[in-house]
């Protein structure tokens, strides 16, 4: 019997991002605050138990080495399950923008397939699988506001933030993460680590106390902005234009190129959007209204999406399948 589901796969922004020293394992030591937002890709899944595994992906963009397929193979192996699965992916989250669309797609597969297969995997197991796929993937297994340290895979829950409206602006210029790290020039030692960590802690403390991204934005930073703005001056102009439009806080997310702006109300956001759409700096950009998606809303979204396949009355996380034996 085929089991089908239609999923929304939400994006994220980095409310703050500090890059410290390079680690012996080749990754960089990070301090960041992730936040899920309402902007999302769409994924349809048709799952059918089978004697041998067959994975098919309908992806109009033909993304090389798509994380959807890699995540599917990984979780099927972990469950020791074979299946015939067809995925249909519709990208709405801009690629190469620091919004985590690919990582979110991978996490969606990790969350959904155990439910469709009637198996149970712990959050620890799913997080380990996710960390092998990408640094941002474990965050999307929980959502909301999360503090990330190490590679960004060591996560700590933060209080839910006020539902402040945002605009996400994508200039359509993909920024490759690897070269962005190289341009920062961090070595195994970084003389500014202590100051950077202290500043980050001040941001997190204010964010947690005020529960408002707008209120804490004056203390925020993204270390990639310096190098990315130097390579792509248009992105710096976009940031400046959003500030002039009355945004309470503006930051680039991830290693770029998308920029988000926080507004005090939907009325202020809509007024700014109309002004920006006619501006020369924003010509050719995608200007996308969105909202912050707190943890309960994120997990309730998954409960709604998978409700036909869930165990009755299930309140656990990750979700449990009605097909479990």
């Amino acid at each position: 019997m085929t089991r089908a589901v239609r999923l929304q796969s939400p994006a994220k922004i980095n409310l703050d991002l500090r890059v410290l020293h390079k680690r012996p394992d080749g990754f960089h030591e990070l301090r960041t605050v992730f936040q899920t937002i309402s902007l999302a890709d769409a994924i349809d899944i048709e799952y059918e138990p089978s004697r041998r595994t067959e994975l098919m992906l309908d992806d109009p963009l033909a993304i090389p080495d798509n994380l959807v397929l890699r995540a599917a193979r990984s979780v099927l192996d972990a469950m020791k399950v074979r299946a015939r699965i067809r995925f249909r992916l519709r990208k709405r989250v801009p690629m190469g923008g620091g919004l985590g669309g690919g990582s979110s797609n991978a996490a969606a597969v990790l969350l959904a397939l155990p439910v469709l297969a009637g198996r149970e995997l712990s959050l620890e197991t799913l997080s380990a699988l996710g960390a092998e796929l990408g640094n941002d993937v474990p965050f999307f297994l929980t959502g909301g506001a999360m503090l990330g340290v190490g590679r960004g895979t060591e996560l700590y829950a933060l209080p839910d933030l006020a539902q402040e409206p945002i605009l996400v602006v994508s200039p359509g210029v993909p920024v490759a993460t690897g070269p962005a790290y190289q341009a920062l020039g961090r070595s195994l030692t970084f003389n500014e680590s202590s100051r950077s960590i202290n500043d980050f802690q001040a941001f997190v403390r204010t964010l947690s106390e005020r529960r408002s991204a707008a209120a804490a934005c004056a203390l925020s930073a993204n270390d990639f902005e310096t190098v990315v703005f130097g390579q792509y001056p248009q992105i710096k102009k976009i940031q400046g234009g959003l500030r002039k439009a009355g945004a309470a806080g503006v930051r680039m997310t991830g290693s770029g190129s998308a920029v988000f702006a926080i507004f005090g109300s939907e009325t202020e956001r809509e007024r700014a959007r109309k002004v920006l759409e006619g501006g020369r700096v924003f010509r050719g950009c995608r200007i996308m209204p969105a909202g912050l998606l707190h943890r309960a809303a994120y997990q309730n979204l998954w409960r709604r999406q998978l409700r036909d396949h869930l165990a009755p009355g299930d309140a656990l996380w990750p979700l449990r399948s009605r097909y479990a034996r």
Side-chain angles (χ1 to χ4, degrees), residues 171 173 229 232-239 281-285:
V173 179
F229 289 174
Y232 303 97
Q234 180 196 3
I235 302 176
K236 184 176 183 179
K237 292 178 182 178
I238 289 170
Q239 188 184 71
V281 169
F282 292 84
R283 192 172 300 149
C285 294

Side-chain angles (χ1 to χ4, degrees), residues 264-310:
S265 69
E266 291 186 4
T267 300
E268 292 176 11
R269 181 183 66 185
E270 184 62 17
R271 186 184 304 122
R273 184 184 65 81
K274 290 179 178 178
V275 171
L276 297 174
E277 285 180 342
R280 180 177 56 83
V281 169
F282 292 84
R283 192 172 300 149
C285 294
R286 287 179 62 189
I287 303 175
M288 299 163 284
L292 307 185
L293 197 60
H294 59 68
R295 187 169 303 105
Y298 182 76
Q299 295 183 3
N300 284 337
L301 170 67
W302 282 99
R303 288 190 171 89
R304 291 195 302 274
Q305 294 180 147
L306 292 165
R307 62 182 177 272
D308 292 340
H309 308 282
L310 296 180

Side-chain angles (χ1 to χ4, degrees), residues 1 40 54 73 106 114 124 145 182 191 244 249 281 283 301 310-311:
M1 179 182 295
E54 184 180 0
R73 294 188 192 100
E124 291 75 16
Q182 291 175 3
N191 295 332
K244 289 179 182 177
V281 169
R283 192 172 300 149
L301 170 67
L310 296 180

